Amino acid sequence: MLEKVISENIDKVLADYSNLLGNRKDYVGASDIGQCERKVVLSKVENVDTSAEQKTVMLRGHLSENVVGDILEKAGLYFKRQYEVIHPQYSFIRAHIDFLFQAKNGTKGVLEVKTTTGIPDEPYMSWVLQLQMQMNLVKLRFPQDEVKGAILVLDLSSGEIKEFNGFTPNSNIFAVLVEKAKRIYEKVRNNDKQNLKTEVSFLCGSCPFKATCPEWSGDEQKVSDDIRRLVEYYKSLAEDEKELKKEKEAVKQDLIKVIGEGELKFNGNKVTVKNTVRKSLDSKALQKELPEIYERFLTEREMVYFRVD
Ligand code: SF4
């Protein structure tokens, strides 16, 4: 009953939050800038239904921001929320800053809040580029003040919190981002869906335009640094796992040599070695000799085939 009420009314709550940001089709926001160009342009020119799962994720982000806001307020910190900064020359480039702090000496602190499941060791490139856009726009508005930035990441399931800080505006990165924003804006204005730049990143997992994306039908793909790092990390873990298995087996054999057959007990530890016979079914032979019986008892279960070479 409540599930239905929530799913039917979640849009109203999300609309309230979206209204604070204005019509995202009319400008290129800082959160757009770190994303794949094709995804950003298509999401602005095509009407796409947001899945229930994506809506929940969006809501989770807003709720986290509110919680962080409450905590920082209780801590006696003064800040502005959803502070809007607009590029003085290109008014279609905008940022809505989650939290903007100001020190007594005028230094501005930009804080971007992210909610994830599992916190990465390093911030994702899309987060860093978003923060760069925000910090640089703040710097343009307050050229006399120092500007610093941080990303606060919350994992609501595990309760883990991590802050990535020490960021400062980089004008070279900003110049590249402004060019990208101009390209996106032109494409959206002209409803031009041709030759849009793509890059495989974490965003692909939830991208509504994946089915038609050229990146997923060709051979060699353009891959973001975040994804490259993740694949390399997986490969190194698989290598460690192989070594650990070897090491574990060698230790096991040493203990079997010591115990022979019997039990070793000390300090609450118990190591048992027993010679047994394990019976198993020879499915290949069964399939060959009694194919009908084999088919009758064959069960199916869904699984994900995963392999990294
Ligand atoms: S699937 Fe990935 S590369 Fe393709 S448009 Fe979506 S985010 Fe971009």
Side-chain angles (χ1 to χ4, degrees), residues 88-292:
Q89 195 181 347
Y90 307 109
S91 59
F92 56 86
I93 300 178
R94 294 172 189 199
H96 295 94
I97 293 165
D98 289 345
F99 296 92
L100 182 71
F101 299 88
Q102 178 166 326
K104 284 202 178 92
N105 64 1
T107 300
K108 306 283 184 293
V110 173
L111 178 66
E112 172 64 23
V113 177
K114 296 288 177 199
T115 314
T116 62
T117 307
I119 299 181
D121 290 338
E122 289 180 48
Y124 296 137
M125 193 44 72
S126 57
W127 298 352
V128 175
L129 296 179
Q130 179 179 5
L131 185 66
Q132 275 297 337
M133 190 62 149
Q134 295 168 333
M135 288 187 300
N136 278 283
L137 288 175
V138 171
K139 185 72 188 165
L140 283 181
R141 176 167 294 182
F142 305 100
Q144 73 287 359
D145 295 330
E146 195 185 350
V147 178
K148 293 179 175 173
I151 302 168
L152 186 72
V153 192
L154 288 86
D155 180 337
L156 294 182
S157 347
S158 69
E160 202 189 339
I161 298 176
K162 191 167 176 173
E163 182 188 357
F164 298 103
N165 55 26
F167 296 96
T168 52
N170 179 311
S171 55
N172 293 331
I173 297 177
F174 186 51
V176 174
L177 298 181
V178 167
E179 285 311 307
K180 182 176 176 181
K182 282 157 74 178
R183 245 181 355 253
I184 291 174
Y185 184 68
E186 277 309 305
K187 292 271 182 196
V188 173
R189 225 165 52 129
N190 299 319
N191 200 20
D192 178 3
K193 303 178 200 169
Q194 302 305 311
N195 303 320
L196 297 169
K197 291 193 179 184
T198 51
E199 183 180 65
V200 173
S201 69
F202 284 102
L203 300 166
C204 296
S206 59
C207 176
F209 314 104
K210 192 176 177 193
T212 54
C213 180
E215 226 29 275
W216 291 95
S217 53
D219 288 336
E220 186 76 9
Q221 290 153 299
K222 282 194 264 350
V223 176
S224 69
D225 288 346
D226 292 334
I227 298 292
R228 275 175 206 281
R229 268 205 300 270
L230 199 65
V231 172
E232 290 306 329
Y233 184 48
Y234 181 86
K235 281 164 81 175
S236 76
L237 286 178
E239 215 29 66
D240 291 350
E241 193 182 21
K242 231 195 285 173
E243 289 304 313
L244 270 175
K245 267 191 185 158
K246 258 197 247 166
E247 180 80 15
K248 199 175 143 202
E249 185 57 30
V251 172
K252 182 177 145 187
Q253 291 307 327
D254 282 348
L255 284 169
I256 289 175
K257 266 189 225 154
V258 172
I259 301 167
E261 194 168 14
E263 284 176 351
L264 177 71
K265 296 181 217 163
F266 66 97
N267 292 354
N269 295 299
K270 185 172 154 189
V271 187
T272 308
V273 182
K274 201 156 94 183
N275 293 319
T276 57
V277 177
R278 201 177 67 174
K279 291 187 179 173
S280 62
L281 197 66
D282 184 342
S283 59
K284 272 194 184 152
L286 181 68
Q287 187 181 16
K288 197 171 165 213
E289 298 295 324
L290 300 164
E292 277 172 29

Side-chain angles (χ1 to χ4, degrees), residues 34 48 56 59 68 84 125 144 148 200 253-254 293 301:
V48 194
T56 312
L59 203 56
V68 171
E84 186 179 64
M125 193 44 72
Q144 73 287 359
K148 293 179 175 173
V200 173
Q253 291 307 327
D254 282 348
I293 304 281
R301 75 186 160 92

